[in-house]
């Protein structure tokens, strides 16, 4: 069923995301470091917050995800925008939050020895650094927006759910349909990272990416979904 496919996808993503590529930090070579060994929480400043104090980004995001975040709420939307300059660690922070959720969800699942090793190592090193473990389990999905834009260029639809269904199906032995993902959206809390809005260079594609995100939020509202959405970008000056 879809549960097996999503678990398989999550375990594969946990393995794929166990390293930080130094290229992310403005280094053109592809050296890799263990995320668990180098990942630390970094302070963020909350825009519009009366108290001018720094909080940890991972801490803040995971704490936000502990509440029920219905997109039907008429008041302030629950979603977050993480803004930072090049090489300041936005992608690494979002990788860490996704790993926190994967670890929490996969802890009691049968895994390959390699996946179990990554889970155990990452979990213990995160714990030592005081990186929180989510209590409200959310299914984590991380979208590289430049890859999503490339997919949009070859498709007539803007649907983020269709893109995710294809991405998951490509990684798993069984196909996952868009309609089964819509059902999953309505039945389980989600944590969605949309990384690198600034990296979508084409204005036309950026407009379609934005439309796809807006349409996803409509889909989520229709499903009475519990979704925490985090978008990362550089400030406009770059």
């Amino acid at each position: 069923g879809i549960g097996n496919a999503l678990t398989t996808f999550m375990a594969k993503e946990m393995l794929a995301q166990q390293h930080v590529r130094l290229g992310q930090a403005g280094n053109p070579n592809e050296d890799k470091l263990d995320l668990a060994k180098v990942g630390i929480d970094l302070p963020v400043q909350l825009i519009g917050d009366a108290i001018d104090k720094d909080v940890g980004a991972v801490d803040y995001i995971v704490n936000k995800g502990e509440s029920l975040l219905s997109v039907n709420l008429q008041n302030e939307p629950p979603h977050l925008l993480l803004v930072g300059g090049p090489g300041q660690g936005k992608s690494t922070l979002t990788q860490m939050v996704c790993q926190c959720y994967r670890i929490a969800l996969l802890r009691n699942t049968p895994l390959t020895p390699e996946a179990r090793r990554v889970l155990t190592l990452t979990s213990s090193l995160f714990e030592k650094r005081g990186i929180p473990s989510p209590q409200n389990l959310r299914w984590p999905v991380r979208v590289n927006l430049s890859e999503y834009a490339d997919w949009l260029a070859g498709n007539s639809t803007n649907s983020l759910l269709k893109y995710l269904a294809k991405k998951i199906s490509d990684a798993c032995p069984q196909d996952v349909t868009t309609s089964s993902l819509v059902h999953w959206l309505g039945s389980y809390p989600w944590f969605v990272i949309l990384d690198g809005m600034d990296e979508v260079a084409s204005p036309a594609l950026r407009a379609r990416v934005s439309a796809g995100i807006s349409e996803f939020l409509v889909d989520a509202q229709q499903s009475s979904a519990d979704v925490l959405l985090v978008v990362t970008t550089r400030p406009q000056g770059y």
Side-chain angles (χ1 to χ4, degrees):
I2 185 169
N4 288 343
L6 297 181
T7 303
T8 302
F9 178 69
M10 200 165 34
K12 288 178 179 177
E13 287 281 283
M14 181 181 70
L15 286 169
Q17 296 288 324
Q18 66 181 294
H19 298 115
V20 179
R21 289 188 189 281
L22 293 184
Q24 280 178 202
N27 182 330
N29 64 21
E30 285 293 288
D31 292 347
K32 292 188 294 189
L33 295 172
D34 272 5
L35 177 70
K37 290 178 182 166
V38 300
I40 57 164
D41 203 356
L42 294 174
V44 285
Q45 208 161 21
L46 305 180
I47 295 169
D49 193 12
I51 305 164
D52 188 12
K53 70 174 175 54
D54 289 337
V55 293
V58 176
D59 210 12
Y60 184 81
I61 294 168
V62 171
N63 276 325
K64 184 92 170 168
E66 296 298 78
S67 318
L68 176 71
L69 298 169
S70 168
V71 277
N72 285 325
L73 294 177
Q74 295 306 307
N75 54 13
E76 176 197 351
H79 312 302
L80 300 171
L81 180 67
L82 185 61
V83 181
Q88 286 191 337
K90 301 179 299 297
S91 292
T92 306
L93 286 168
T94 58
Q95 249 178 281
M96 286 167 65
V97 182
C98 281
Q99 290 295 60
C100 287
Y101 279 110
R102 292 181 193 118
I103 288 163
L105 279 161
L106 293 170
R107 208 179 286 282
N108 300 316
T109 306
L111 295 169
T112 63
E114 168 67 354
R116 178 62 59 194
R117 183 192 68 76
V118 170
L119 185 145
T120 307
L121 175 75
T122 309
S123 177
S124 72
L125 288 173
F126 277 9
E127 201 175 315
K128 275 183 192 149
R129 290 204 196 96
I131 291 164
S133 175
Q135 303 306 303
N136 181 25
L137 302 184
R138 292 179 174 277
W139 183 66
V141 57
R142 188 166 182 271
V143 176
N144 180 322
L145 288 178
S146 62
E147 290 175 10
Y148 174 45
D150 290 345
W151 179 82
L152 288 177
N155 286 275
S156 55
T157 175
N158 293 334
S159 172
L160 185 60
L161 284 170
K162 283 191 172 157
Y163 170 72
L164 287 174
K166 165 121 184 42
K167 193 175 161 178
I168 297 163
S169 297
D170 286 351
C172 296
Q174 61 268 66
D175 278 343
V176 169
T177 62
T178 309
S179 59
S180 62
L181 264 194
V182 172
H183 178 73
W184 182 241
L185 181 62
S187 58
Y188 201 85
W190 281 33
F191 172 68
V192 182
I193 290 277
L194 303 174
D195 190 35
M197 184 58 111
D198 54 286
E199 287 169 27
V200 183
S202 149
L205 282 176
R206 198 178 309 132
R208 288 187 62 196
V209 166
S210 295
I213 296 168
S214 299
E215 287 168 22
F216 171 74
L217 290 173
V218 171
D219 296 334
Q221 187 169 18
Q222 291 292 317
S223 303
S224 301
D226 175 3
V227 176
L228 175 56
L229 186 77
V230 179
V231 181
T232 78
T233 187
R234 294 180 184 183
Q236 278 318 100
Y238 289 99

